[in-house]
Amino acid sequence: MRRLLLLPAVVAVAACTTAPSVSEHPKPSPRELEEVTAVLKRDFRARGQATMDRVELDEVQRLCNLHADNPPAELARPIEETQLKAIPFPAGSMMGDWKNGEKIAQSGRGAMWSDKPGVQEGGSCYNCHQISPKETAFGTIGPSLAGYGKTRGNRPEIQRYVYGKIYNSKAYNACSQMPRLGHSKTLNEQQIKDLVALLLDPASPVNQ
Amino acid sequence: MRTVIGSAALALAFAPALAQQSPYAEYQRMARESAPVELFELAGEEAWKKKQGPKNVSLEQCDLGQGPGVLKGAYASLPRYFKDTDRVMDLETRLLHCMMTLQGRSREEATKRVFGNADNASEMEVLSAYIAGHSHGMPMRPGTSHAKEKAAYQLGQKLFFHRAGSWDFSCASCHGEEDKRIRMSGLPVLYKPQVARPLIATWPAYRVSNSQFKTMQWRMNDCYRQMRMPEPMFGSEAMVSLVHFLTVTAQGEPYRGPAIKR
């Protein structure tokens, strides 16, 4: 009874206040960011391949955390350039074997403390992207990649872009939600080439 | 401070309508009727009353925030600040505290197997089932007034959005945008009260996909595994704060667990 009487008053207070709601994505100060990292260092522990150096922030993570994933272009651009310069693009064709690329795209394993390092790592691609039309269980966090090479072709510049995007998505969009699969050493050069072929090879089911 | 009050008011305003309309709630209700949750609750009652540890006593005098041995409504009032430990604790952290103080068990022994498997649920899991069951139908009211409770909420909120690890993920990488999914699984936007309420108010839960009864600490642990982070320590301030943030976001929702999940 008492709670019922109180309810309109509480709602009225909420309606009047200009305080930010919980649904807003807060921007931490540099000091708060350091404090969170200190908490992680204290409250997490290394397990398997997931070692404690993973809680240290690099320039990309720092930028995105400080700006709630929406940094001003003048801050994002130099960092994207640094990330791009660090990509070791292979010489020559970057098109590998699309069949193996499909296996890598399917696998959600890799880089977790429960995974054995060096055993076939996956890219978790289908977790977030539509890719081959044969796979209907695809995620939607990332854009659909269905027919990717059909509309773009597979000339060297396109291969280079796709290779770079998979190797280090942050070189093109500093706060992309996509993991840096090459930069993080989850996937090696050949595995990324196989994914490039999955998207660009005219024989790949993606382009049928 | 203000954000906590704001979410409380929102929760009060929307909870009754959503609880009646959500098809998820209906699924929860139907699934609960045919699931083995009661078996875990029964095992939990046995574990609660079992004399063990160097002091050979049961947990029956454990104070979960409502007084020694009081189970009714205890889970729905957690996480909360406890004066005797001067920290915010969730159910599992408090149970661990009771195992160490009442029963005289070491942290090492008591946390050796906090997460069980399909063949054998852990002591922590069955205890969570038993105790949470005593809050069924009661509104979730985690502590929000003590300074340490406010600090826990704020730390939990920061952790939720904090990107780190090999894959640059935060909780919000998967739980930050509406109408997204991983493979076929829908991704709830857990910092939005109307989304968080039905989900948080149903843990701990029996997971049909792997036939296991799972707790909130496990849920946090397994998300961080998939985020490619190192392992969060059981009952650490970071994990309790994250659980507290999620529970405050969901507050006001009548507790409908232990429930059934995918």
Side-chain angles (χ1 to χ4, degrees), chain A residues 22-23 42-43 45 47 54 61 65 69 106 108 110 114 127 137-140 170 175-177 180 186, chain B residues 3 9 12 153 161 163 165-168 173 180-183 191 221 225 228-231 233 237-238:
Chain A
V22 286
S23 59
R42 185 196 63 197
D43 289 353
R45 62 182 170 199
R47 182 165 171 186
R54 294 188 182 189
Q61 294 167 337
N65 280 323
D69 283 343
Q106 286 284 358
S114 49
N127 281 9
F138 56 85
T140 58
K170 275 69 173 181
C175 298
S176 163
Q177 291 297 336
R180 294 173 275 179
T186 305
Chain B
T3 57
L12 278 170
Y153 173 88
F161 290 105
R163 296 183 72 174
S166 299
W167 282 21
D168 313 318
S173 296
K180 299 285 181 187
R181 52 173 217 252
I182 284 183
R183 292 283 185 159
Y191 66 90
N221 180 283
R225 179 179 68 87
R228 275 71 184 176
M229 284 281 282
E231 184 174 33
M233 286 188 246
E237 189 187 331

Side-chain angles (χ1 to χ4, degrees), chain A residues 58-61 83 165-171 174 177-187, chain B residues 165-168:
Chain A
D58 77 346
E59 58 171 9
V60 167
Q61 294 167 337
Q83 297 286 311
K165 181 81 183 177
I166 297 168
Y167 189 95
N168 186 345
S169 58
K170 275 69 173 181
Q177 291 297 336
M178 178 169 156
R180 294 173 275 179
L181 293 160
H183 178 89
S184 65
K185 299 192 165 40
T186 305
L187 300 180
Chain B
S166 299
W167 282 21
D168 313 318

Side-chain angles (χ1 to χ4, degrees), chain B residues 120-221:
Chain B
N120 195 2
S122 76
E123 180 188 10
M124 198 60 80
E125 286 160 351
V126 296
L127 283 170
S128 298
Y130 173 60
I131 294 159
H134 284 81
S135 284
H136 195 81
M138 303 173 79
M140 307 279 284
R141 293 263 179 261
T144 53
S145 55
H146 191 275
K148 292 210 171 177
E149 291 167 343
K150 288 167 194 165
Y153 173 88
Q154 273 159 9
L155 174 60
Q157 185 183 40
K158 283 179 202 144
L159 286 167
F160 186 87
F161 290 105
H162 185 81
R163 296 183 72 174
S166 299
W167 282 21
D168 313 318
F169 284 164
S170 72
C171 305
S173 296
C174 291
H175 298 286
E177 238 189 300
E178 279 174 71
D179 299 323
K180 299 285 181 187
R181 52 173 217 252
I182 284 183
R183 292 283 185 159
M184 296 309 278
S185 302
L187 296 165
V189 182
L190 291 171
Y191 66 90
K192 303 213 167 171
Q194 66 273 27
V195 181
R197 278 200 295 263
L199 289 160
I200 301 302
T202 42
W203 286 99
Y206 179 77
R207 300 194 86 209
V208 180
S209 55
N210 58 12
S211 315
Q212 297 183 42
F213 191 86
K214 289 299 179 194
T215 65
M216 273 300 263
Q217 288 274 331
W218 173 85
R219 181 60 275 177
M220 302 300 111
N221 180 283

Side-chain angles (χ1 to χ4, degrees), chain B residues 53-188:
Chain B
K55 295 185 184 172
N56 196 37
V57 294
S58 74
L59 290 168
E60 286 167 293
Q61 287 306 302
C62 179
D63 184 352
L64 298 167
Q66 307 301 308
V70 179
L71 298 177
K72 192 166 173 60
Y75 183 70
S77 304
L78 292 168
R80 55 168 289 164
Y81 173 79
F82 285 87
K83 208 172 176 184
D84 56 0
T85 54
D86 190 31
R87 61 170 292 202
V88 175
M89 300 170 112
D90 65 352
L91 174 61
E92 292 164 84
T93 315
R94 189 64 185 174
L95 282 170
L96 174 59
H97 169 77
C98 287
M99 289 171 188
M100 291 166 67
T101 52
L102 289 178
Q103 298 181 319
R105 296 159 67 182
S106 70
R107 172 178 292 271
E108 196 193 359
E109 181 272 326
T111 58
K112 205 161 192 171
R113 190 173 174 279
V114 283
F115 306 136
N117 56 35
D119 296 328
N120 195 2
S122 76
E123 180 188 10
M124 198 60 80
E125 286 160 351
V126 296
L127 283 170
S128 298
Y130 173 60
I131 294 159
H134 284 81
S135 284
H136 195 81
M138 303 173 79
M140 307 279 284
R141 293 263 179 261
T144 53
S145 55
H146 191 275
K148 292 210 171 177
E149 291 167 343
K150 288 167 194 165
Y153 173 88
Q154 273 159 9
L155 174 60
Q157 185 183 40
K158 283 179 202 144
L159 286 167
F160 186 87
F161 290 105
H162 185 81
R163 296 183 72 174
S166 299
W167 282 21
D168 313 318
F169 284 164
S170 72
C171 305
S173 296
C174 291
H175 298 286
E177 238 189 300
E178 279 174 71
D179 299 323
K180 299 285 181 187
R181 52 173 217 252
I182 284 183
R183 292 283 185 159
M184 296 309 278
S185 302
L187 296 165

